[in-house]
Amino acid sequence: MKFPKEVYDKYPSLRKFEIDGYKEWKGGRERALLEHVKQSPDFTQMEGNPAKLLEAMDEFAVQQDFLINIGSDKGRILTDLLAEERPKVVVELGTYVGYSAIMLANQMRHFNKQGEAVKLWSLEFDSELANIASEFINIAGLSDVVTVVTGAASESLRTLKAGGRLDHADLIFLDHVENLYVQDLTVCEELGLLKTGVCIVADNVLMPGAPEYRQYVRSHPKLKSWGVKGLIMPGEFEDEMEVSKVL
């Protein structure tokens, strides 16, 4: 995959696509990100400072190696939505390195300052990524808000529900494997998590794409759904998130 010179000048990390080809995740770069952050001379400034930590993660993605985080552009759209919804319980399917969990949890804590408890359950299939994400969440000082659960999302949802740890959700964020979006949203519905007013956000519905999911939510009689344009960063590739509200 090749890009124009001006793209490489702005996003040096994309040069690796020419050398290695596109790899969506793993291959060592997530662990390299963690080591990069820990060895940074600004590390102490990142501890307990989610915004500073996210800036460092964005800088690594631009300069060192591409990451499949939600990124700054779509992240802004998502946090604006949180400001409207003010969720107290969020379920995230797909943790990766914890970028969106940190962003969401930080905003949840900011928007709920009246002593109200907030909780984010972040479900991650891959144990290595779950461990890396947990370290980042701890660095950000958000371990009291975020719990990373390792395993297949459908199984984790059922386990949390059966154990009484998850009885409702105010917002559900789908950001894992796109061809599992329909299956796992159906599980959420079966478990009674899709109550009136719940907001559902699905990332990457254009790139790499989730056409079956978009068709499913837009034809669902209990959902009102629409697309919101955003950019995959680094690189400024156009994408959309699908936002749905339970009627």
Side-chain angles (χ1 to χ4, degrees):
M1 185 181 298
K2 292 186 177 182
F3 301 98
K5 180 180 182 299
E6 58 267 23
V7 174
Y8 290 130
D9 290 343
K10 191 173 183 180
Y11 306 107
S13 66
L14 296 184
R15 290 192 180 277
K16 287 201 171 185
F17 284 171
E18 281 192 84
I19 301 170
D20 302 329
Y22 175 66
K23 297 180 179 67
E24 190 170 9
W25 59 288
K26 295 194 76 172
R29 63 190 177 194
E30 295 82 11
R31 179 64 62 181
L33 168 67
L34 181 60
E35 294 307 312
H36 173 81
V37 166
K38 286 183 173 180
Q39 294 171 14
S40 169
D42 298 326
F43 178 69
T44 56
Q45 298 176 36
M46 301 178 207
E47 293 181 294
N49 188 332
K52 189 76 174 177
L53 177 57
L54 293 176
E55 285 178 8
M57 296 168 85
D58 284 335
E59 185 271 340
F60 179 92
V62 169
Q63 299 294 332
Q64 303 294 327
D65 214 337
F66 183 85
L67 300 169
I68 59 168
N69 298 323
I70 189 173
S72 56
D73 185 73
K74 287 191 286 185
R76 173 188 52 79
I77 296 169
L78 190 57
T79 53
D80 286 348
L81 182 62
L82 251 70
E84 296 176 11
E85 297 293 327
R86 303 291 177 97
K88 299 190 174 49
V89 179
V90 171
V91 177
E92 174 186 56
L93 280 61
T95 311
Y96 189 47
V97 294
Y99 183 102
S100 54
I102 291 168
M103 178 179 285
L104 291 167
N106 187 43
Q107 292 299 310
M108 290 170 71
R109 192 162 62 180
H110 174 73
F111 291 129
N112 293 279
K113 293 184 176 179
Q114 307 304 317
E116 301 160 308
V118 293
K119 186 66 185 179
L120 190 152
W121 298 99
S122 190
L123 315 183
E124 173 55 51
F125 177 79
D126 186 271
S127 59
E128 180 185 8
L129 293 178
N131 290 335
I132 291 171
S134 295
E135 287 200 54
F136 279 123
I137 290 162
N138 185 56
I139 292 168
L142 290 166
S143 297
D144 60 324
V145 177
V146 183
T147 297
V148 178
V149 182
T150 307
S154 57
E155 296 175 9
S156 296
L157 287 165
R158 291 189 173 98
T159 299
L160 289 170
K161 178 70 173 181
R165 303 173 75 190
L166 176 65
D167 61 4
H168 76 284
D170 302 310
L171 187 144
I172 298 170
F173 180 42
L174 304 173
D175 193 20
H176 55 327
V177 179
E178 287 78 17
N179 62 15
L180 294 180
Y181 282 7
V182 173
Q183 169 195 293
D184 291 340
L185 184 63
T186 301
V187 172
C188 290
E189 188 169 19
E190 291 172 357
L191 296 176
L193 298 180
L194 301 189
K195 295 181 171 62
T196 300
V198 171
C199 184
I200 306 157
V201 182
D203 194 16
N204 302 125
V205 295
L206 288 186
M207 291 184 61
E212 291 183 3
Y213 174 81
R214 172 164 273 179
Q215 180 180 4
Y216 177 79
V217 294
R218 292 196 176 188
S219 61
H220 196 296
K222 294 185 178 179
L223 297 175
K224 179 181 179 181
S225 301
W226 62 96
V228 180
K229 293 187 182 298
L231 299 176
I232 295 175
M233 305 287 287
E236 301 178 11
F237 307 109
E238 188 171 285
D239 191 21
E240 282 191 17
M241 294 188 289
E242 186 78 3
V243 181
S244 306
K245 289 281 285 189
V246 183
L247 303 174

Coordinates of all heavy atoms in Angstrom, one line a residue, residues 41 50 60 70 115 133 156 165 186 193 198 214 228 236:
P41 N 10.3 10.4 28.9 CA 10.7 11.3 30.0 C 9.5 12.0 30.6 O 9.6 12.6 31.7 CB 11.7 12.3 29.3 CG 11.3 12.2 27.8 CD 10.9 10.8 27.6
P50 N -5.3 11.1 32.1 CA -5.7 10.4 30.8 C -5.4 11.2 29.6 O -5.0 10.6 28.5 CB -7.2 10.2 31.1 CG -7.3 10.2 32.6 CD -6.3 11.2 33.1
F60 N 2.7 8.3 19.2 CA 3.3 7.0 18.7 C 2.7 6.5 17.4 O 3.4 6.1 16.5 CB 3.1 6.0 19.8 CG 3.7 4.6 19.5 CD1 5.0 4.3 19.9 CD2 2.9 3.7 18.9 CE1 5.5 3.0 19.5 CE2 3.5 2.4 18.5 CZ 4.8 2.1 18.9
I70 N -9.5 4.2 18.2 CA -10.5 5.1 17.6 C -10.0 6.4 17.1 O -10.4 7.0 16.1 CB -11.7 5.3 18.6 CG1 -12.9 6.0 17.9 CG2 -11.2 6.1 19.8 CD1 -14.1 6.1 18.7
G115 N -21.2 12.6 42.8 CA -21.0 11.4 43.7 C -21.6 10.2 43.1 O -21.7 9.2 43.8
A133 N -3.9 -3.3 27.9 CA -4.9 -2.3 28.1 C -5.0 -2.0 29.6 O -5.2 -0.9 30.0 CB -6.2 -2.7 27.5
S156 N -18.6 -13.3 27.7 CA -18.4 -12.4 28.8 C -19.7 -11.6 29.2 O -20.0 -11.4 30.4 CB -17.3 -11.3 28.4 OG -16.1 -12.0 28.2
R165 N -23.4 -8.7 37.9 CA -22.4 -7.6 37.8 C -22.9 -6.6 36.8 O -22.5 -5.4 36.8 CB -21.0 -8.1 37.5 CG -20.5 -9.1 38.5 CD -19.2 -9.7 38.1 NE -18.1 -8.7 38.3 CZ -16.8 -8.9 37.8 NH1 -16.6 -10.0 37.1 NH2 -15.9 -8.0 38.0
T186 N -27.2 -8.9 19.3 CA -28.4 -9.8 19.6 C -28.3 -10.4 21.0 O -29.3 -10.5 21.7 CB -28.4 -10.9 18.5 OG1 -28.5 -10.3 17.2 CG2 -29.6 -11.8 18.8
L193 N -30.5 -5.9 27.8 CA -29.6 -4.7 28.0 C -30.1 -3.6 27.1 O -29.7 -2.4 27.2 CB -28.2 -5.0 27.6 CG -27.5 -6.0 28.5 CD1 -26.0 -6.2 28.1 CD2 -27.5 -5.6 30.0
V198 N -31.4 3.5 25.6 CA -30.0 3.0 25.5 C -29.4 3.5 24.1 O -30.1 3.4 23.1 CB -29.9 1.5 25.6 CG1 -28.4 1.0 25.3 CG2 -30.2 1.1 27.0
R214 N -25.2 -2.7 9.7 CA -26.0 -1.4 9.3 C -27.4 -1.8 8.9 O -28.4 -1.2 9.3 CB -25.2 -0.6 8.3 CG -26.0 0.5 7.7 CD -25.1 1.5 7.0 NE -24.6 2.5 7.9 CZ -23.7 3.4 7.5 NH1 -23.3 3.5 6.3 NH2 -23.3 4.3 8.4
V228 N -22.7 8.7 11.3 CA -21.9 9.9 11.6 C -20.5 9.7 11.0 O -19.8 8.8 11.3 CB -21.8 10.1 13.2 CG1 -21.0 11.3 13.5 CG2 -23.2 10.1 13.8
E236 N -6.2 10.1 8.2 CA -7.4 10.9 7.8 C -8.2 10.1 6.7 O -8.7 10.7 5.7 CB -7.0 12.3 7.3 CG -6.3 13.1 8.3 CD -5.8 14.4 7.8 OE1 -6.3 14.9 6.7 OE2 -5.0 15.1 8.5

